Amino acid sequence: MKILLMGNPNVGKSVIFSRLTGINVIASNYPGTTVEFTKGFLKTPELTAEIIDVPGAYTLSPTNKAEEVAVEMLNAGNTDLVINVIDATHLERNLYLTLSLLEQNIPVIVALNIWDETKHLGIDIDLQKLESLLRVPLVPTTAVTDEGLEELISRIPEAKSELPPHPPRTDDERWAEIGSIIKQVQTITHRHHTFTEKLSDMTIKPATGIPIAILVALLAFALIIAIGMGLRRFVLLPFFEGFIFPPIRTGVTAIVPEGIIVREILIGHFGVLIDGIGWPLALVLPYLLAFYLILAILEDTGYLSRLACLLDILFHRIGTHGGAVIPFLLGFGCTVGGILSSRALDTQRERIIVVTLMCMAIPCAAQTGAIVALLAGRSIPALVIVYIIAFLFILIAGMIMNKLLIGSTPTFFMEIPTYRIPNLRAVAKKIWMQVSSYLFQAVPLIVFGVFIAAILYETGILYHIGILFKPIVVGLLGLPAEASVGLILGIIRRELAIAVLLNLDLTIVQLIVGSIVALFYIPCAAVFPILIKEFGVKYAIFIVLSTIVIAFIMGGIINATFALVF
Amino acid sequence: MDETRLFDLSSGETAIIKHLAGGQRFQRRMAALGIRVGKTVRQITSQPLRGPIVIEIDRSLIAVGQGMAEKIVVEAIEPIKKIDE
């Protein structure tokens, strides 16, 4: 049996999907979190079914990529049943998709989600009446607390298509019918303004909203760095330096005699058992945790859509609109995630602009961790300078692309969701999903990178590479020749290009130049399959070449500027 | 004819949507978020420098960029003082 979970954006499909299948998918409080479908299985004594979490759609006549995916899935033909998730607090406009689905002649069961909110909002819905008017099973649910899901599952066998089959209606006919349904089932009682509404007003009106947005951004940035640094300095470093590294050093020293290269590879400069463990777990992990904690809170409260609205004008200057704030922010976590999320944008032109800027100048959380570890201890102004340079680059390069690329910028049009208090369990789950994918997918790559570095270093190959790159690394960038190893490791992972610098003795200017070069340099190896899949080989090659060139130019300019000024 | 458009409304003003000046695709996108002829909208705020306009319609907040707000023809109605405001 194949079941599709369909509904408007931001009605809680992904939460229902997680609850039914036990598979974790990212759910947030903004429209368009799900840009690709996820499959899972529901097993109960009575039935086994494949369930697909379909991206949110308002209509079955696609107006964006997510809706195209949704319609393709529905038309694939082998669907046995659709669970139509609708938002009980916005019944009227949600019913448009419901009626369209009923016309498809596929059995439908309706989950009237966010049911708990209706009481607070003074919305009263006559469930029996609505069920009899729709002529398909209807179950009120509150997915975040599991309410109603058992009933939903138990009533799946009752799902049916519209009987007798209704020919497709015109838009006007659908709205007329919805109007008549709403009149019969929904009553709204007047109620007083709630605190969340006042908060909503304050954060969206520019006079108060803009200062709040600046405050939130600074606070988020400061919190990520403070939590990351705190975890690293006071928890993880003492733990590894105290309990993990000493026995490893003693053990290896005891087993492998001095003078054998294996010993150096394991515990020497770029030791696989020292840096190979310390970099991913004590250097990067704390920032990853801190970033995803803050992001989850921003996502789940519903603040991001307000930020998108406030920043829309700024984003128009670089050829996109406020909606791009979401892929950009996700890019600060992981470039791959950011690229996938850019699917929610309206046009390919916008996606190219956003993804190009992201590959060039947006550090992922891992790289942020490495940059902070490299700079914050030495000079906070240096850290600020690096981020200001990246920000200015995004602004200028975005404006240039906006001029060069043919096409116009679509208008911003987005629902601003009601504020919700983040569900602790959901936030913890989301952080764990990101962290576990980091631990199992990225950490092995980092260890591999450190291993390559150790071999290059110990065999002396690095020395020759250093000579080869000398004109650029030493001549243009003013860095020691050994820094060239970062250019090789940086291809594997963004943060490795920075981490290499930790083992060198650098001046403040060298630290800034090194960070900038590593930031603008090639994004990590995991990005390329996605770039090729989404934009083609040519674009991927363009990104490789342009990031290398821009990294050297930016590094060269900064090095030369500092040399002139100081 | 001098028509009032959505972006002509000022903060707190209420209006009824009279006409959506766009093709079917535009009409559908608007309808998806509840913006239809006959609906009552309340302007909540507008962002500076011709930024998006935020409206409340059927208890939802929706941000509408200038390009779209120009195509939404409305008729302002007398503000009714709510009891709790």
Side-chain angles (χ1 to χ4, degrees):
Chain A
M1 193 178 194
K2 187 172 151 192
I3 300 177
L4 299 185
L5 261 178
M6 295 186 75
N8 288 6
N10 207 31
V11 297
K13 293 178 294 298
S14 295
V15 182
I16 292 192
F17 176 81
S18 299
R19 294 286 191 267
L20 293 183
T21 61
I23 291 177
N24 291 334
V25 284
I26 301 270
S28 309
N29 186 13
Y30 54 76
T33 310
T34 309
V35 284
E36 199 173 33
F37 61 86
T38 318
K39 287 182 184 184
F41 284 92
L42 166 70
K43 286 197 181 88
T44 69
E46 291 79 34
L47 85 167
T48 305
E50 182 189 29
I51 298 193
I52 299 172
D53 183 22
V54 178
Y58 290 113
T59 80
L60 295 180
S61 3
T63 53
N64 63 29
K65 182 97 185 169
E67 285 185 347
E68 269 170 39
V69 174
V71 173
E72 265 170 40
M73 308 229 45
L74 186 68
N75 292 341
N78 47 354
T79 306
D80 296 297
L81 169 75
V82 172
I83 298 179
N84 175 213
V85 184
I86 64 182
D87 174 356
T89 63
H90 297 116
L91 183 62
E92 182 168 352
R93 55 169 219 243
N94 275 253
L95 283 177
Y96 180 83
L97 183 73
T98 308
L99 290 194
S100 311
L101 284 170
L102 286 172
E103 290 158 19
Q104 299 291 310
N105 225 353
I106 292 173
V108 173
I109 176 168
V110 176
L112 190 60
N113 200 29
I114 321 184
W115 179 243
D116 58 334
E117 286 283 320
T118 55
K119 289 155 216 151
H120 311 205
L121 293 174
I123 301 168
D124 184 60
I125 297 170
D126 183 342
L127 292 172
Q128 277 172 339
K129 187 98 197 200
L130 182 57
E131 183 165 331
S132 73
L133 287 171
L134 292 176
R135 285 169 294 187
V136 293
L138 173 101
V139 182
T141 58
T142 304
V144 281
T145 57
D146 281 343
E147 205 180 308
L149 294 185
E150 254 173 59
E151 193 192 341
L152 182 71
I153 295 169
S154 73
R155 294 193 63 188
I156 283 177
E158 295 172 43
K160 52 193 175 206
S161 48
E162 201 166 13
L163 288 170
H166 198 294
R169 305 164 177 88
T170 64
D171 272 0
D172 287 342
E173 284 168 354
R174 280 186 201 128
W175 286 119
E177 186 158 345
I178 291 165
S180 123
I181 295 175
I182 291 295
K183 218 175 208 170
Q184 296 177 63
V185 303
Q186 183 174 273
T187 29
I188 292 177
T189 29
H190 189 72
R191 84 229 131 75
H192 289 274
H193 274 240
T194 58
F195 170 70
T196 53
E197 272 167 48
K198 283 184 187 129
L199 190 68
S200 174
D201 264 18
M202 269 173 61
T203 46
I204 196 84
K205 289 190 173 166
T208 41
I210 293 171
I212 291 174
I214 294 170
L215 215 67
V216 167
L218 290 177
L219 197 68
F221 192 69
L223 272 175
I224 290 168
I225 291 180
I227 296 172
M229 271 173 85
L231 274 176
R232 174 170 155 80
R233 266 200 207 161
F234 301 113
V235 182
L236 293 163
L237 274 186
F239 173 73
F240 282 102
E241 301 283 6
F243 302 101
I244 305 294
F245 294 152
I248 289 179
R249 285 205 179 93
T250 331
V252 173
T253 315
I255 297 164
V256 188
E258 208 178 335
I260 292 184
I261 195 169
V262 175
R263 177 158 158 179
E264 297 305 315
I265 289 175
L266 291 178
I267 57 168
H269 205 66
F270 301 121
V272 175
L273 293 182
I274 305 296
D275 285 340
I277 292 172
W279 286 356
L281 300 183
L283 179 68
V284 171
L285 185 64
Y287 292 94
L288 215 73
L289 276 170
F291 174 82
Y292 282 110
L293 171 69
I294 302 297
L295 181 71
I297 293 170
L298 287 176
E299 279 185 336
D300 290 11
T301 49
Y303 183 65
L304 289 189
S305 304
R306 287 163 178 84
L307 195 61
C309 181
L310 290 167
L311 291 179
D312 179 55
I313 278 298
L314 198 63
F315 279 99
H316 266 278
R317 299 279 179 275
I318 63 167
T320 177
H321 60 66
V325 83
I326 286 159
F328 268 126
L329 268 181
L330 294 187
F332 274 103
C334 168
T335 313
V336 173
I339 295 172
L340 288 178
S341 143
S342 75
R343 284 185 186 162
L345 296 174
D346 302 301
T347 64
Q348 192 71 359
R349 178 181 183 267
E350 279 178 283
R351 290 193 70 197
I352 295 272
I353 292 176
V354 169
V355 170
T356 307
L357 293 175
M358 201 185 294
C359 286
M360 287 175 179
I362 298 206
C364 65
Q367 197 176 33
T368 300
I371 292 176
V372 174
L374 183 68
L375 294 178
R378 292 281 300 276
S379 157
I380 293 286
L383 182 69
V384 176
I385 287 175
V386 168
Y387 277 89
I388 289 178
I389 292 173
F391 176 75
L392 290 177
F393 177 89
I394 289 171
L395 211 62
I396 294 166
M399 283 159 75
I400 293 172
M401 275 196 278
N402 187 27
K403 284 272 184 294
L404 290 182
L405 293 175
I406 301 159
S408 58
T409 306
T411 313
F412 183 61
F413 183 56
M414 193 190 237
E415 166 153 32
I416 295 172
T418 318
Y419 275 127
R420 287 177 203 153
I421 294 173
N423 178 293
L424 219 64
R425 190 169 66 156
V427 168
K429 217 172 181 177
K430 212 142 84 160
I431 296 171
W432 168 243
M433 281 174 66
Q434 301 289 359
V435 169
S436 66
S437 91
Y438 167 75
L439 289 179
F440 298 117
Q441 288 164 28
V443 172
L445 272 176
I446 301 177
V447 177
F448 174 71
V450 175
F451 176 67
I452 298 281
I455 294 211
L456 292 178
Y457 184 79
E458 300 302 337
T459 55
I461 298 174
L462 183 62
Y463 177 75
H464 295 284
I465 294 174
I467 292 173
L468 195 70
F469 281 114
K470 207 173 174 182
I472 291 174
V473 174
V474 181
L476 178 69
L477 304 175
L479 297 171
E482 203 193 324
S484 55
V485 73
L487 297 179
I488 295 162
L489 297 191
I491 301 172
I492 305 173
R493 292 274 306 170
R494 275 189 129 155
E495 68 275 22
L496 286 177
I498 303 257
V500 164
L501 305 175
L502 282 166
N503 290 0
L504 306 176
D505 191 22
L506 302 176
T507 65
I508 299 283
V509 175
Q510 285 176 321
L511 288 174
I512 295 174
V513 173
S515 303
I516 285 293
V517 173
L519 169 60
F520 284 94
Y521 194 61
I522 304 181
C524 76
V527 164
F528 290 101
I530 310 285
L531 285 182
I532 292 170
K533 188 178 158 220
E534 302 279 313
F535 303 100
V537 178
K538 266 195 209 161
Y539 177 75
I541 294 171
F542 161 75
I543 288 292
V544 173
L545 297 178
S546 62
T547 48
I548 294 175
V549 171
I550 288 171
F552 291 154
I553 291 177
M554 292 294 291
I557 291 174
I558 292 158
N559 183 38
T561 313
F562 275 107
L564 277 178
V565 177
F566 302 105
Chain B
M1 197 181 91
D2 210 24
E3 286 171 325
T4 312
R5 308 286 170 130
L6 189 60
F7 70 71
D8 297 323
L9 297 178
S10 46
S11 180
E13 248 186 311
T14 306
I16 292 176
I17 297 173
K18 285 288 160 196
H19 177 58
L20 297 171
Q24 198 188 32
R25 203 183 127 94
F26 173 73
Q27 307 252 359
R28 281 209 170 118
R29 277 195 80 184
M30 294 294 115
L33 290 185
I35 300 176
R36 290 187 289 122
V37 171
K39 286 274 174 190
T40 307
V41 293
R42 193 159 76 96
Q43 205 258 32
I44 301 291
T45 187
S46 64
Q47 304 300 333
L49 305 169
R50 293 177 59 83
I53 287 159
V54 180
I55 55 168
E56 187 188 312
I57 195 161
D58 283 340
R59 304 171 316 286
S60 309
L61 286 187
I62 296 155
V64 187
Q66 284 284 345
M68 285 179 178
E70 279 167 17
K71 294 186 195 163
I72 302 172
V73 182
V74 297
E75 189 181 279
I77 48 179
E78 287 297 311
I80 302 159
K81 206 115 177 93
K82 279 193 191 166
I83 307 150
D84 63 343
E85 276 180 353

